[in-house]
Amino acid sequence: MVVNRALYFRRRLANTTFIVLSFSAAAFGLIWLCFILWALLSNGVAALGPHLFTEATPPPGSAGGLSNAIFGSVVMSLGAVLIGTPIGIFAGTYLAEYARYGKLSFVVRFVNDILLSAPSIVLGLFVYEMIVVPMGHFSAVAGIAVLAVIVIPVVVRTTENMLLLVPDSLREAASSLGAPRNFVIKLVTWKAARAGIITGALLAIARISGETAPILFTALNNNFMSTDLTKPMASLPAVIFQYAISPYEDWHDLAWAGALLVTATVLTLSIIARILGNQKRI
Amino acid sequence: MTDISLTQTPDLIIRTLTARRAGAGDIRFRLTTMAAAILVLLIFTGVVASLILGAMPAIKAFGFGFITTEAWSPARDRFGALGPIYGTLVTSAIAMLIALPVGIGIAIFLTELCPRMFRRPLGIAIELLAGIPSIIYGIWGLFVFAPWFQVAVQEPVMNAVADIPVLSTLFGGAPYGIGIFTAGLILSIMILPFIAAVTRDVLETVPSVLKEAAYGVGATKWEVIREVALPFARTGVVGGAMLALGRALGETMAVTFVIGNAHRIAPSLFAPGTSISAAIANEFTEATTELYTSALIELGLLLFVITFIVLAAAQLMLRSMEKGQGS
C-alpha cells in the first residue's frame, strides 16, 4: 500500500492546529470571565458589611450602606414578578393548550420571542411614554411596569416549552374521565409542568434583578429610603451606575459591593432554577 | 341497581348543572388565557406605537436627514444620529469578530475535546456566566479593564503604528483607555458565554451516528467537525450568532461605562464615541427640550428597527432548523 505521507502529514497538522486553537479559545474566554469574577470578589468583599443592609446611601465622604437600594430592588422585582408571572403563564398556556397551531398563536409566539431579546432600554422608553409622561414624574410604579414587561416574555416562553413537554396521553386520560378542558389544564398539565414553570419565574427574577437601563428613566433613583410607590425609588443597579461614574472613592466601593450583591443574587437564582429544572417532577 | 331511573333524577340534574358550570368556567378560562396572549401582542404594538409617536417631533423636524447627519448639539436643538449609529454598528462588529470564533471554539471544545469529567461543570459555568447582568461587565470595564488596556495595549500599539500610514489613523489619537474599541472588547466578553452556550446546544444535536461514521472512514477530529458537525448545525449556529448580535446591538450598560460619550465619528478606533443605547441612557433624564427628548426616542426607534430585523432573521433561521430536525 502506498501511503501519501505529505497528505497524511497535512491532515495531522491541520488537526493538531485546530485542537490547539480550540483549547486556546476556551482558555482565552474562561480567563477573561475569571478575571471579572475575581475583580468582583476582591473589590466587593472588601466593601461588604452589615452596614450595607442597615444604612441608606450616603452623601460623598460619609459612611453609609445600600439599604434603600436593596429595598427598592426587592420591592420592584417582586411587584414585577407578581404582575408578570400570571400573565406570562396564562399566555403560555393559551399558546400550548388552546391554540397550538392557530394564526394568533403564530403571531404571538413570534412577537414574544422578539420582546424576549429586544433591547431593554427600548422597553424603558415605552413605559416612559405610557406611564411616566402621563403621571408627570418618575415613579416606582413605572419601574415595576417595565420590569413586568421584561418578565412576561421569559415566562411565556418557558411555560409554553414546559407544557409542550407534557405528554398528550395525560391530557387524553383526564378528558376521557369527563374533565372539562380547564380542569385538565389546571389539575393535570400545570401540575406536570410545575417545576418548569417555577424555573421560568426564577429565571425571570434573575433577569430583572440586574436590569439597569430601563430603570434609569422609569423609577429613576432616590438617595433616601422611600416606600411610596408613586415616587422615584432607588434600586441596586441604578445606584451602582450612579456611584460608579462618580469621582468619589467611597462611592466606588459601594458600587462594587452592590455589584457583588446583584451577581450573587443572580447566580443563586439561576442555580436554584437549574436544580429545580433538573428534577423531573416534584 | 334496578331503580336507577327515578331516584337518580335529582342527581342527574345536579350533574348537568355542574357540567354546565364547568363549561362556563371553561370558556372563562379560555378567554383569560387568550386575553393574556393578546396582551403580549398589545405590548409589542404599544412599544412600536409609543416609539413612533414619541419620535414624531424629531421626525418632522429633521426628516431623513436625522440618519445622515453627524451634528448633535442640544444647545442649538440640532440632532443627527450618524454618530450613535456608527458607534453601535462598529462596537457590535468588533464584538462579533472576536466573540464568534472564540465562542464557537469554546463550544467545540465543550462538545468534542473536553474530558467527559469537566464537560458538565464547564458547560454549567458558561451558562451561568451568560446570565450575569451587563452592568457587572460595565463596572469591570470601567475600573479594571480600561486602565489596564490604556497602559498595556493602547500606548504600545499607538507607538508601534505611529509611522504606518493607514494604521496610524485607525489607532491614532491619545490613549484614553475608554473608547469605541474598548466598548467593543467588553461587549465581546459579554456575549461570549451566550454564543458558546447556544452553539454548544446546537452542536449537541448532531447525531453521534454521523460523527462515528466519519471517524469510521478515518477522518480526523478537525475533519469531522468541519465536514460533518458544523455543516449539520450551520443554521443553528448562524441563528445563535444573530441572537448574540441582537444583544450586542441593544446592549446598554456594558457599553455606556466605557465608550466615552462623544457624539462624533473619529477616524481612530481608540477614540471615544457613543452608541445609540449609551446616548439614550446618558442623556434621556437630562434632556430639557421636547425636541431633545424626541430625538432620543427616535434613536430608540432606530435601535428597535435594527434589532427587530436581526432578531426576526435569527428566529426564522432557528425555526427552520427545528423543522428540519422534525422531518
Side-chain angles (χ1 to χ4, degrees), chain A residues 11 15 22 113 129 182 274, chain B residues 26 127 218 222-223 297 315:
Chain A
R11 288 179 57 203
N15 190 43
S22 183
D113 283 355
E129 290 275 306
N182 62 337
R274 172 169 287 281
Chain B
D26 216 21
E127 275 171 35
W222 167 229
E223 286 160 353
I297 294 179
Q315 302 256 337

Side-chain angles (χ1 to χ4, degrees), chain B residues 225-309:
Chain B
I225 288 161
R226 201 186 54 177
E227 310 289 344
V228 179
L230 282 181
F232 184 92
R234 195 177 46 212
T235 336
V237 172
V238 176
M242 294 186 77
L243 277 186
L245 176 61
R247 275 196 164 196
L249 288 169
E251 179 44 49
T252 311
M253 298 325 287
V255 173
T256 307
F257 279 110
V258 291
I259 199 164
N261 304 311
H263 276 273
R264 59 163 189 271
I265 302 174
S268 167
L269 286 178
F270 283 165
T274 193
S275 76
I276 296 181
S277 48
I280 302 174
N282 268 313
E283 299 172 35
F284 197 79
T285 44
E286 292 162 12
T288 38
T289 62
E290 194 201 343
L291 197 61
Y292 195 177
T293 311
S294 172
L296 287 170
I297 294 179
E298 191 176 352
L299 276 183
L301 179 65
L302 286 174
L303 179 64
F304 191 66
V305 171
I306 298 173
T307 46
F308 179 85
I309 295 170

Side-chain angles (χ1 to χ4, degrees), chain A:
Chain A
M1 194 174 106
V2 185
V3 176
N4 186 339
R5 276 183 193 285
L7 176 68
Y8 193 57
F9 177 73
R10 255 204 324 274
R11 288 179 57 203
R12 286 237 309 228
L13 186 70
N15 190 43
T16 320
T17 320
F18 151 75
I19 288 182
V20 169
L21 277 179
S22 183
F23 263 96
S24 35
F28 175 79
L30 290 173
I31 281 174
W32 285 113
L33 296 168
C34 288
F35 276 159
I36 293 180
L37 288 184
W38 171 245
L40 191 60
L41 275 178
S42 58
N43 287 298
V45 168
L48 274 187
H51 62 280
L52 287 182
F53 302 93
T54 52
E55 288 169 49
T57 46
S62 54
L66 296 166
S67 65
N68 52 341
I70 295 172
F71 174 80
S73 272
V74 170
V75 167
M76 288 196 278
S77 302
L78 275 186
V81 168
L82 286 181
I83 296 169
T85 315
I87 296 175
I89 290 179
F90 279 134
T93 307
Y94 180 77
L95 296 181
E97 298 285 341
Y98 278 118
R100 207 175 279 186
Y101 305 105
K103 275 215 180 73
L104 176 67
S105 300
F106 179 80
V107 178
V108 171
R109 216 169 272 142
F110 181 77
V111 159
N112 187 68
D113 283 355
I114 297 281
L115 283 179
L116 189 63
S117 15
S120 55
I121 193 163
V122 172
L123 303 178
L125 289 177
F126 160 63
V127 172
Y128 174 84
E129 290 275 306
M130 296 295 288
I131 297 181
V132 178
V133 171
M135 272 180 89
H137 55 86
F138 299 101
S139 67
V141 177
I144 292 176
V146 75
L147 293 181
V149 168
I150 297 169
V151 165
I152 291 172
V154 180
V155 179
V156 171
R157 174 106 319 280
T158 42
T159 305
E160 193 200 353
N161 285 350
M162 290 305 144
L163 289 177
L164 287 179
L165 288 180
V166 177
D168 276 338
S169 52
L170 277 183
R171 297 191 182 93
E172 286 156 8
S175 292
S176 70
L177 290 174
R181 198 65 188 272
N182 62 337
F183 280 43
V184 177
I185 292 167
K186 283 185 220 160
L187 300 178
V188 179
T189 50
W190 273 3
K191 276 208 171 145
R194 190 171 52 186
I197 295 175
I198 295 173
T199 305
L202 286 176
L203 287 178
I205 307 178
R207 168 101 194 260
I208 56 172
S209 49
E211 276 297 345
T212 317
I215 291 282
L216 291 178
F217 30 86
T218 49
L220 200 65
N221 200 345
N222 194 333
N223 287 329
F224 306 99
M225 177 64 97
S226 160
T227 51
D228 188 351
L229 286 184
T230 59
K231 294 274 156 56
M233 193 180 262
S235 64
L236 274 176
V239 169
I240 296 173
F241 180 60
Q242 186 201 345
Y243 280 18
I245 56 175
S246 77
Y248 311 111
E249 202 57 45
D250 47 344
W251 275 17
H252 291 175
D253 289 342
L254 276 179
W256 276 113
L260 183 64
L261 285 182
V262 169
T263 314
T265 316
V266 170
L267 288 183
T268 317
L269 284 170
S270 323
I271 290 170
I272 296 175
R274 172 169 287 281
I275 293 170
L276 267 181
N278 281 346
Q279 284 170 353
K280 282 270 159 14
R281 217 152 281 166
I282 306 172

